[in-house]
Amino acid sequence: MTSADQILAAVGADQQLAALHAQPWDDPVPLGVRRRTLPTFPTDALPEWVGAMVAAVAEETQTPPDLAACVALAALSTAAGGRALVNVRGSWVEPVNIFTVVAMPPGSRKSPVFRAMTQPLLAAEKDLIERIKPRIIEAELALRVARAAAEKTAAVAANSGKPGGDPDKLAEATDAAMVAESITVPVQPKLVVDDVTPETATSLLAAQGGRLAVLSAEGEIFNIMAGRYSSTPNLGVFLKGHAGDMLRVDRQGRPAEHIDRPALTLGIAVQPEVLADLARTPGFRGKGLLARILYAIPPSNVGYREAEPDPVPDRITETYAANLARLVSVMHDWDDPARLLLAPDARPVFLAHRQRTEERLRPHTGDLAHIADWGSKYDGAVARIAGLLHLAQHIEDGYRHPISADTIKAAITIGEYYAQHALAVFDAMGADPDLEAARTIHAWLEKHRPEQFTVRQLFNGIRSATYRKVADLRPGLELLEEHGWIRHQPAPERKGPGRPPSPTYHVHPCLHAGAQPPSTPPATQ
């Protein structure tokens, strides 16, 4: 190339660079939202009597419907959990209990929503107590009489005057003791607790036939799980209580507690920052607790609420309360879980969904790949939701009817809502390394405010154990460019041998010129 050609090429490169700088910038997309907004809970997928209550409570409390909907599913899980299984195929069964967590900021009226959606459970619990009270009194009296008779016959055998006791009297005393031992006093029913230690939860599960719900408008239960009272995390009862795996606890000086099919329900509301803390708690993700949770992070509408909203109509409240209490009553006496089968036309619908899920788990290409621990339980969660919707539609005799294709479709719709919110939650937790790299670069740009930078300058500025080589930064740079925070500049023409120049990026004016950037909330918006 002649000197004249080199001059022209340089002029052309300068013109290209000037044109690039002159090109207007669009508003960048905040990191974490992936150029999408999170969906609102699909209340139309709920049974009519549940959806009507959700919509009415959301209106009266001026809260997003997501909160009431998630608590409603937890309430259905409380009513039916441990008493029914969805037979997906072959030996694959899913119990119909769920863990759900809603993240909303302080002042979001979480407590009134919890009260409205769970009050019927407390009323149903009271009815169960009244129903079983005569049996408790009768059993306690029979036990006292049997123990008195056993003590009396034992005394007669001991005073028989024969060495080792009279064999006939000993046999009578043994029979009397066995009669006393065979009498079981029913335990007073308890459906719901608030914050409970793992040890207490285990004891309550054993006493309540393997069924219990932790429903709370606060997230204190996670601090307890993390070891507030024991210094070490104790997750066994929560992990097995979700999976339905046999739970056996041996404690010194106390009888062993053995639960064949524990079914624990969690319905919790937390503040958004708690979600990030969960990922940093030892064992919470590694042992699979976070993968079991259905997350919801609806946007706050504080500042946009009506002062005089419509109250919940009495007929809606009464229908919801009656149906939920009836479901509790119908399912409470099931000792062996009812088996819910899929209708023939529902099976291909669910199969197609499962095939899509498998594709979404593919490394590098699937959107669920970086949260494969959660994604691997996604189909099971959809089956559980389908079971709950089915029982809510067939309160009296759900076990007599197969789960319909429409119910499976509704469960898939709700499941997709939870999948999108899980992606946002795990991104906020740092589960996506590409997003974390982009955030690290973004923070460096905010601190140094360069108008442009080279990759080599960036690498020298943030080199760490996480970013050991320049290639480690590439996914973060691509994500920032995709979101409109930076632009890759054309590479200048190479002149002679040697290492090629480091790639250069131009930076959005809001990062280097002091312009007001768009808000970058955690992935809750």
Side-chain angles (χ1 to χ4, degrees), residues 332-373:
H332 186 266
D333 293 330
W334 278 83
D335 293 327
D336 294 325
R339 295 219 168 215
L340 309 178
L341 305 177
L342 301 187
D345 61 340
R347 292 187 177 279
V349 175
F350 195 39
L351 175 59
H353 167 76
R354 288 164 45 214
Q355 290 171 334
R356 287 194 298 272
T357 299
E358 192 65 23
E359 294 172 359
R360 298 175 71 177
L361 291 170
R362 290 176 180 171
H364 309 300
T365 60
D367 65 325
L368 300 180
H370 66 289
I371 57 169
D373 51 344

Side-chain angles (χ1 to χ4, degrees), residues 38-41 63-67 70 101-105 108 272 295-301 417 421 524-525:
L38 293 175
T40 301
F41 193 99
T63 54
D66 312 56
L67 176 58
C70 291
V101 172
V102 184
M104 296 187 69
S108 297
Y295 302 92
I297 43 176
S300 172
N301 59 353
Y417 163 86
H421 282 248
T524 58
Q525 299 297 317

Side-chain angles (χ1 to χ4, degrees), residues 453-457 470 474 477 488-492 500-505:
F453 65 94
T454 68
V455 174
R456 189 170 296 112
Q457 289 172 333
V470 170
R474 188 172 296 115
L477 290 167
H488 185 263
Q489 295 186 8
S502 179
T504 301
Y505 287 86

